[in-house]
Amino acid sequence: MSTESVRVCVRVRPLSNSEQARQDQTCIDCPSDESVVIADREYGFEYCETGMSDQESFFQQSGVVDLLESAVQGYSATMFAYGQTGSGKTFTMSGPEEAILQEGYSGSRFDGVVPRAFRFLVDNVKGRGRIRACTYEVYNEQIYDLLNPDAGPLQVRESNNSGFFIENLLVVDCESTADMMEVFAEGVRNRTVGSHELNKDSSRSHGVVTIFVDIDSGAQDSIGPLRGKISFVDLAGSERLKESKSQGGMRRE
């Protein structure tokens, strides 16, 4: 497991069809798996990956597995996907969402970090613990439960036992990867999206999936079960209004 508390990874997506049609050129290069070069300046990160890599490679090399293992050991961990709208954040985190929404979807090589994390946790927790999941979005500084969108804006509270938590957020037990994918698909279905010049399916909110992992330590002298959690945050894309041409409510977002 990595000893770093915070890891920053860069993933460079390939040129889109419209960019190729304009004969655009890639302006960023990854000379190694720990550096990127932009305009002749080199920057170092914990991990860098070009657009030619596949989803499994990123899952294994980015440090996500370390985060999942720490959650199983009773720690809290978070992964953020940050970048400009259309840069590939949702594809990295989710994979092709149109496929995820299909009934009976069982996965593919294009699955992103979150579906792969589901399978990892089920394989490592089944038979010795409990898995629960929830999903919500932060939209215009309000929190909405994506499993219960009719509930309206929710409030963040604080308690001595639980710390900060979202009041009345629906959290469901998951016994299989299929259960977790149903939670995820419902969140994808209810998340706020919009269309503009840079991205026809732009996420307009910060989407969060949190998985709670309770492990029975099995030791008689233990103080109790290990309680860990991991959150995956697909941040809303940053954008220049001059380029996205967003109007009305999307402009205020």
Side-chain angles (χ1 to χ4, degrees), residues 18-244:
S18 61
E19 290 165 342
Q20 293 181 45
R22 295 196 304 263
Q23 298 186 330
D24 291 346
Q25 300 296 315
T26 300
C27 64
I28 184 171
D29 184 39
C30 297
S32 75
D33 61 3
E34 294 184 345
S35 64
V36 296
V37 174
I38 305 174
D40 296 326
R41 295 192 63 179
E42 187 169 355
Y43 303 88
F45 299 92
E46 277 71 27
Y47 181 64
C48 303
E49 195 169 86
T50 68
M52 301 306 294
S53 62
D54 58 30
Q55 297 281 61
E56 176 65 16
S57 171
F58 183 79
F59 180 76
Q60 294 294 336
Q61 301 297 325
S62 63
V64 178
V65 173
D66 288 345
L67 297 182
L68 293 166
E69 290 177 342
S70 69
V72 173
Q73 294 171 9
Y75 295 94
S76 295
T78 302
M79 177 183 176
F80 291 91
Y82 170 80
Q84 179 177 305
T85 183
S87 60
K89 298 182 302 300
T90 298
F91 179 77
T92 293
M93 296 294 273
S94 306
E97 292 188 332
E98 64 276 7
I100 291 172
L101 293 176
Q102 294 177 1
E103 186 175 355
Y105 178 73
S106 59
S108 77
R109 65 187 181 91
F110 296 112
D111 282 348
V113 167
V114 176
R116 294 174 188 274
F118 291 164
R119 291 193 285 271
F120 179 95
L121 289 173
V122 169
D123 289 344
N124 285 271
V125 175
K126 191 172 184 179
R128 64 190 188 102
R130 177 189 184 196
I131 298 176
R132 295 170 294 143
C134 64
T135 180
Y136 58 94
E137 69 176 356
V138 182
Y139 179 64
N140 285 341
E141 301 184 5
Q142 298 285 339
I143 299 172
Y144 297 91
D145 188 345
L146 293 177
L147 296 182
N148 186 22
D150 293 336
L154 303 181
Q155 299 297 316
V156 176
R157 306 294 188 189
E158 183 180 13
S159 72
N160 292 331
N161 294 329
S162 304
F164 291 100
F165 66 96
I166 301 173
E167 189 175 40
N168 297 323
L169 181 67
L170 181 60
V171 181
V172 299
D173 282 285
C174 298
E175 297 183 355
S176 65
T177 302
D179 290 344
M180 301 175 82
M181 286 302 296
E182 286 184 18
V183 170
F184 189 44
E186 189 67 11
V188 169
R189 192 175 292 111
N190 292 325
R191 189 176 175 189
T192 303
V193 297
S195 178
H196 52 62
E197 292 293 318
L198 295 179
N199 189 354
K200 68 180 181 65
D201 295 310
S202 175
S203 301
R204 310 310 300 170
S205 65
H206 305 311
V208 184
V209 177
T210 297
I211 308 166
F212 300 89
V213 181
D214 301 335
I215 300 291
D216 183 359
S217 65
Q220 292 183 355
D221 58 349
S222 173
I223 60 174
L226 299 174
R227 301 188 186 279
K229 71 175 181 179
I230 183 167
S231 294
F232 296 97
V233 186
D234 182 9
L235 294 170
S238 59
E239 62 189 56
R240 291 182 178 180
L241 292 176
K242 180 175 67 174
E243 296 179 0
S244 67

